Amino acid sequence: MNQRANFLKGFLRENPILVLVLGTCPTLAVTTSAVSGIGMGLATTFVLICSNAAIAMIKDLIPDKVRIPCYIVVIAAFVTIVDLLMAAYTPALHATLGIFIPLIVVNCIILGRAESYAAKNAVLPSIIDGTGMGLGFTLALLVMGVVRELLGSGSFFGHKFITGDGMLMFVLAPGAFICLGFLIALVNGINRKLAGR
Amino acid sequence: MAKTPSTFLNMVLALFLCSFISAVALGGVYILTKDKIALAKTVGKVSAFENVLPDFNNDPFAEKYIVSTEKGNLVFYPGKKDGKLVGIAVDTFSMRGYGGKVSVLAGFLPDGSIYNALVTDHKETPGLGSKMAASQSDFPLQFKGKDPKTFQLKVKKDGGDVDAITSATVSSRAYCEALATAYEAVKKVLK
């Protein structure tokens, strides 16, 4: 596979949320607004790139039987670094995302990419894979966030254009599921079209 | 390079090295960001004081004291202008929010009325209960300048004077309870 396809697969063909359906917990929880969606997506992307790179580097040194604990330690270290950096430089966003930043550790996308890609490939392709997957994740979160913010609170990136409340359901959990369902259907439709061509 | 075999020694070594390197890296980042994080927290606190207290020129942090109530200990931050008490900021809370603890910083004037209050920490439902935070809705504004002696700190459903947030009565109750707790303690101190 060439590197361009390797990078692009995370957006549509193997989008971590919309096609692989991994990491749906943060997706459903934090996408109440576009800004927190982007914040969460970029934090995860950073962790994904770093952990993919680190794991691709050390994959031959790690005995098979303890590879999962080792990967988790590496991932947890990067997540804690992101947590500290966000607390220091973007305190407001850090407060909004709250517990979901430390929970990036258990995001299936990250361990999933470590296990299925970084553990079998060289450093550079792993970084590209991590970047593509992370940005695909961010894009999905951004779309979810924009749609839910529009419908739920009638605002776009925090700029309110209606008075009063929107459809409250879209801010709550059911709206997240409905929104995710329609997005998955949409992306599956697009993928089918592209494959049929 | 060949894969390292899974012998006992190799496994112990690999895990140890992974943890050790991670720990060193984390320690480094912690030291680098420690001051920044503390600063961000203080900036948040100071601007919070400026919001809930009238013009003051002392350091409320330095003069804080603890008042114990039946609900727990509350921290009082007195605001003074040229040595004269102009208000007290009370770090109060309620455990009965929809998502657990709701922390409120409530500013009282020396006559016992509420100057302003703002939520400093909560885990309420985003878009519903979270509207009790400043700038999200008009809910917090209704407490400004009210004297709890004549203004019942209870939502209207419970026979009080507070307009609850639509579809977030539990959160509104918690907010009121936090204020009421603070008021009871402030009454004791000001007497």
Side-chain angles (χ1 to χ4, degrees), chain A residues 29 32 58-66 69-71 73-74 76-78 80-81 84-85 87-89 91 119 165 168 171-172, chain B residues 1-7 10-12 14-15 18-19 22-23 25-26 29-30 32-33 36-37 40 125-128 131 166-167:
Chain A
T32 49
I58 59 171
K59 63 176 188 290
D60 289 329
L61 301 172
I62 305 286
D64 256 348
K65 277 189 184 164
V66 290
C70 287
Y71 294 171
V73 170
V74 171
F78 284 119
T80 313
I81 290 173
L84 289 172
L85 288 177
Y89 295 100
D165 294 321
L168 279 177
V171 177
L172 300 175
Chain B
M1 194 159 61
K3 192 108 185 150
T4 317
S6 292
T7 61
N10 280 348
M11 292 198 284
V12 171
L15 269 177
C18 268
S19 316
S22 304
L26 282 186
V29 175
Y30 174 75
L32 284 178
T33 53
K36 266 276 184 191
I37 293 174
T125 317
L128 291 177
K131 282 194 185 143
T166 315
S167 47

Side-chain angles (χ1 to χ4, degrees), chain B residues 37-48:
Chain B
I37 293 174
L39 186 72
K41 280 204 177 133
T42 340
V43 168
K45 275 246 160 120
V46 168
S47 72

Side-chain angles (χ1 to χ4, degrees), chain A residues 139-185:
Chain A
L139 184 70
L141 254 60
L142 172 65
V143 174
M144 286 270 292
V146 167
V147 171
R148 289 181 65 193
E149 199 184 328
L150 272 178
L151 297 176
S153 10
S155 61
F156 184 68
F157 280 93
H159 299 292
K160 224 168 158 56
F161 52 78
I162 59 162
T163 47
D165 294 321
M167 288 180 269
L168 279 177
M169 188 183 75
F170 278 94
V171 177
L172 300 175
F177 279 103
I178 292 170
C179 193
L180 183 62
F182 275 102
L183 263 183
I184 291 178

Side-chain angles (χ1 to χ4, degrees), chain B residues 95-143:
Chain B
M95 299 306 288
R96 297 207 290 199
Y98 201 71
K101 188 174 177 177
V102 174
S103 302
V104 180
L105 189 68
F108 289 88
L109 295 178
D111 64 1
S113 63
I114 299 170
Y115 180 71
N116 199 1
L118 53 95
V119 178
T120 47
D121 193 29
H122 71 82
K123 296 181 184 64
E124 304 304 289
T125 317
L128 291 177
S130 71
K131 282 194 185 143
M132 66 178 154
S135 81
Q136 300 267 318
S137 74
D138 291 340
F139 173 77
L141 299 179
Q142 63 182 312
F143 298 96

